[in-house]
Amino acid sequence: MSRITNIEVARARRSNRVMFIGSPTRYNDVSRWAMVRQWAMIHGLEPISKFDGDVLCAIVTEDVLDGVCSPKDSVAFRRAEELGVPCISVYDTAQIWQVTAKVRARISKSKVQESRLARSGMTRASAEPSSIAHYCGG
């Protein structure tokens, strides 16, 4: 097993990918699961169900946390823990909010900048410093 380096952890903390581990079965679990997935998508996060690259955090069902889950979910949970990925209960909204805060802020800032560029009639390419210098006679 390879040792996790600080750069790998830092790169993962900038990821917008949130892994969902588990298969909710009870009505309340299914409702909460769907609500958290929808919240993640609305805030620019990418819900995934398999490890593929960097992962910001893992949202897990209570059954996964209790060890009452499928072998596939158990392996995914153990792998997330080994990689230092924060594993958060689907019911712990405060921790989900906290762990995703910096990434959501960066995504929001990016969307605001794109909106300002669109309103000004500039494209991202025309907003590059060399293009701006051209418009200013530089």
Side-chain angles (χ1 to χ4, degrees):
M1 189 97 15
S2 65
R3 189 172 163 200
I4 306 301
T5 65
N6 288 339
I7 192 71
E8 290 170 327
V9 172
R11 187 174 49 238
R13 297 304 172 260
R14 290 190 306 270
S15 173
N16 71 330
R17 304 174 84 215
V18 176
M19 185 167 182
F20 284 77
I21 303 173
S23 300
T25 54
R26 294 179 290 271
Y27 176 77
N28 288 341
D29 294 345
V30 172
S31 297
R32 174 62 72 145
W33 192 257
M35 186 171 50
V36 172
R37 282 184 69 93
Q38 183 178 19
W39 176 88
M41 288 187 294
I42 288 170
H43 286 89
L45 302 171
E46 179 186 352
I48 61 171
S49 56
K50 295 180 182 174
F51 273 106
D52 183 25
D54 297 325
V55 177
L56 175 64
C57 66
I59 309 297
V60 299
T61 63
E62 292 296 314
D63 287 343
V64 170
L65 290 173
D66 294 339
V68 184
C69 57
S70 71
K72 176 184 156 199
D73 291 338
S74 180
V75 167
F77 180 66
R78 280 196 313 270
R79 176 134 188 254
E81 286 185 316
E82 288 170 0
L83 293 173
V85 174
C87 296
I88 308 167
S89 166
V90 70
Y91 288 97
D92 193 350
T93 52
Q95 190 174 4
I96 294 169
W97 183 264
Q98 180 181 359
V99 168
T100 61
K102 286 184 180 179
V103 173
R104 288 183 292 106
R106 188 186 74 237
I107 291 168
S108 178
K109 183 179 177 183
S110 175
K111 287 180 181 178
V112 168
Q113 288 172 342
E114 288 175 14
S115 175
R116 287 181 181 157
L117 286 175
R119 283 195 309 261
S120 70
M122 297 180 83
T123 63
R124 186 170 288 283
S126 66
E128 296 299 320
S130 61
S131 299
I132 294 171
H134 171 74
Y135 285 114
C136 296

